[in-house]
Amino acid sequence: AVARTHDGGFLVGDVLQEVNGAIVNEPEDVARLTATMKPGEQVRVKVLHLGSNRTETVKVTLGQVDSSEQQKALKVVEAHHLNMEMQKREEQQPQGSLFQTGARHGFD
């Protein structure tokens, strides 16, 4: 049997592994992946039920969050995009150490 609360929600200890096929690694990922969706939209989530150690993919309907929580989620999305952009820039930087010519480095 699926461990659900009386209102159809999940139990403490259940782990969201995917939202619409996108892998969830951190709790913030759920906010990032659903931040642009509207209440009433259906999404597919893959859930690991720790008590039974099995996974299940189910459709859930998104609920309403208050505006302060939505703003937090949007900030997470913005921060994620900024982080990704910074990582791309770092990957484009030349690798290695700075070695200044003309200075004495103790090499003969």
Side-chain angles (χ1 to χ4, degrees):
V2 176
R4 301 246 173 109
T5 61
H6 66 282
D7 63 356
F10 300 104
L11 294 175
V12 173
D14 286 351
V15 180
L16 291 179
Q17 294 184 318
E18 295 179 7
V19 174
N20 281 345
I23 295 174
V24 173
N25 292 311
E26 303 287 332
E28 294 81 14
D29 292 343
V30 177
R32 180 178 54 79
L33 293 167
T34 59
T36 58
M37 299 176 179
K38 299 192 182 325
E41 281 190 56
Q42 285 197 337
V43 296
R44 292 175 57 81
V45 295
K46 183 177 180 181
V47 181
L48 170 65
H49 301 289
L50 289 179
S52 63
N53 210 22
R54 67 181 186 87
T55 60
E56 169 184 38
T57 300
V58 295
K59 283 186 181 178
V60 297
T61 303
L62 295 178
Q64 180 74 35
V65 294
D66 66 54
S67 60
S68 65
E69 289 298 318
Q70 189 171 17
Q71 290 301 318
K72 288 179 190 175
L74 290 172
K75 286 181 183 179
V76 168
V77 171
E78 291 170 2
H80 175 74
H81 288 299
L82 180 60
N83 187 33
M84 295 299 289
E85 185 61 33
M86 290 173 63
Q87 284 179 350
K88 285 181 188 176
R89 289 182 184 174
E90 287 175 3
E91 291 170 0
Q92 294 171 353
Q93 294 293 323
Q95 299 296 314
S97 300
L98 177 63
F99 186 80
Q100 298 177 352
T101 57
R104 297 227 5 110
H105 296 285
F107 301 115
D108 290 311

